[in-house]
Amino acid sequence: MHESDEVIEHVAMTLRRERVGVSADFDARVMERVREEARQAAGTGVWRWMTRSRTVRVSPLAGLALAAGLAGVVALAARQGDSFRTVAPSRTVAIAPPDVPAQRMTEFMFVNPSASRVAIVGDFNDWDEGVSPMRRMSDGVWAITIPLAPGRYHYTFVVDGTTWVADPAAPPLKDDFGPPNSVITVGEATT
Amino acid sequence: MKRFWPALLVIALVAGRVDAQDPRLTRLDRRVQAQVTILVDSARSLGIPTEPVVDKALEGAAKRAPNDRIVNVVRSRFRELVAARGALGSGALDAEVIAAADALHAGASAQVITTLRTQRPSVPLTIPLAVLADLIARGVPADTASSAILALATKPATDAEFASLRDDVERDIAKGVPPAITTAVRTRGVPPGARVPIATDATTPGRGTTTTASPKP
């Protein structure tokens, strides 16, 4: 038996003979000391703080609020993306980057003295008759000038908001939806 | 907290999905809107222009076409754009893809588009393809129009010359000259009075084939 074993045996016998009292918080103090030593052994710092696991309690109401906030952020990000995606280069009137084809001012004219209003609709304005109302000139001539990038566009005139009329100055093009369209091809600008 | 993560993910995805839709498509019926959105997303993932898909749907809505008709036409437009991109190859301009899709819609073959690209690999084909579509739409048989465009491309012609061919043909048609004849004459310089190709399948304007007419006894 080693000397240390003898010492331990002696202590044990002493403890068995005489009951040693400990305070009620003895266990807690011991465990806190152990944790403190473990913390010191692992080091401190931001990384330690960030990687330490925590228990977070969230009420259902707070969870819903958090979800709504997250959805709002995602929706906002998607909207930002749309603002670039849905604007076609052909509709960009502002300064365009070098790789965007230059636009050409294209004039459309239509004769109808009895019309009270005429609009042009086509691939260049989302077929929305409110976007490009034509201007009444003399003798019942209606006109509008639209900047168009090189390409092929389908279009037609809308008279008084009800009647769709293909451009008489251009051959009609049979369309998938019934009323015929006209077509215009815009070429590259020549210098 | 762990219970909320799936719900958060679903809400985020749904919110992002709804907002990612083109706001112009709200003019469509909800069912049509969903179908068109799928096609637009597919077009985007394939790298083909999405505007023609949206434009065709909006045109249908503006003309108050039935929902099924709008969906079918937009699907057809999507397929033509995919085929046009395939015929032109990667790197094609959006305007070229749209013009090629128009040519396919009119009745041109994908082979002609590919040949045209091979002939002019580094020159924009927007105008030649647009003229091809225009000629066929005016009633010129598809193979006659294709031959005319390929002949001009071989020359090689400028965009102005392609446009000039179309203008000349339209003017001749307005005077009463058959579309196939004026196209052949304008392209090859066949002298007036000579025997020239005529359309034999006139059931669908612009989609017929061209053969040489046999002389009548």
Side-chain angles (χ1 to χ4, degrees), chain B residues 17-18 32 55 73 110 131 169 178:
Chain B
R17 174 75 184 167
V18 168
V32 176
D55 283 335
V73 169
V131 172
V169 168

Side-chain angles (χ1 to χ4, degrees), chain B residues 170-184:
Chain B
E170 285 180 354
R171 211 164 19 246
D172 291 344
I173 291 173
K175 291 176 185 172
V177 181
I181 292 177
T182 176
T183 304

Side-chain angles (χ1 to χ4, degrees), chain B residues 6 40-41 53 66-68 82 95 101 122 130 145 160 171-172 201 206-207:
Chain B
V40 169
D41 290 343
V53 177
N67 290 338
D68 289 343
V82 172
S122 57
R171 211 164 19 246
D172 291 344
D201 179 3
R207 294 177 186 266

Side-chain angles (χ1 to χ4, degrees), chain A residues 9-20:
Chain A
E9 183 63 25
H10 174 73
V11 170
M13 287 178 64
T14 302
L15 289 175
R16 278 196 288 270
R17 272 200 312 270
E18 303 174 14
R19 297 186 66 86
V20 178

Side-chain angles (χ1 to χ4, degrees), chain B:
Chain B
M1 184 66 181
K2 287 181 180 177
R3 294 178 189 173
F4 288 109
W5 279 115
L8 287 175
L9 189 61
V10 169
I11 291 172
L13 289 175
V14 169
R17 174 75 184 167
V18 168
D19 196 77
Q21 289 181 353
D22 192 319
R24 296 172 296 175
L25 296 182
T26 55
R27 287 156 56 182
L28 303 171
D29 173 84
R30 291 179 67 87
R31 189 176 64 82
V32 176
Q33 185 179 338
Q35 299 278 335
V36 172
T37 299
I38 292 172
L39 291 172
V40 169
D41 290 343
S42 300
R44 187 175 295 117
S45 66
L46 291 172
I48 62 177
T50 58
E51 279 299 304
V53 177
V54 175
D55 283 335
K56 188 53 75 177
L58 295 178
E59 180 189 351
K63 292 182 174 178
R64 293 180 174 78
N67 290 338
D68 289 343
R69 182 70 183 152
I70 294 175
V71 171
N72 288 337
V73 169
V74 172
R75 278 188 185 140
S76 176
R77 183 65 165 161
F78 172 78
R79 285 194 294 267
E80 288 162 355
L81 288 163
V82 172
R85 167 69 79 188
L88 286 168
S90 60
L93 302 171
D94 282 358
E96 289 180 308
V97 175
I98 295 170
D102 284 354
L104 290 173
H105 184 75
S109 71
Q111 180 61 44
V112 169
I113 295 169
T114 302
T115 303
L116 198 55
R117 169 55 82 206
T118 304
Q119 287 182 342
R120 296 162 62 110
S122 57
V123 179
L125 296 177
T126 306
I127 298 300
L129 289 168
V131 172
L132 174 60
D134 287 344
L135 291 177
I136 299 174
R138 301 294 177 268
V140 179
D143 60 347
T144 302
S146 300
S147 297
I149 295 299
L150 291 176
L152 277 180
T154 306
K155 194 178 165 185
T158 63
D159 281 354
E161 289 174 299
F162 280 102
S164 178
L165 169 67
R166 178 191 53 207
D167 295 343
D168 290 342
V169 168
E170 285 180 354
R171 211 164 19 246
D172 291 344
I173 291 173
K175 291 176 185 172
V177 181
I181 292 177
T182 176
T183 304
V185 170
R186 294 288 182 183
T187 308
R188 302 178 206 157
V190 178
R195 201 176 335 127
V196 293
I198 60 172
T200 56
D201 179 3
T203 53
T204 304
R207 294 177 186 266
T209 56
T210 302
T211 57
T212 302
S214 302
K216 291 184 178 178

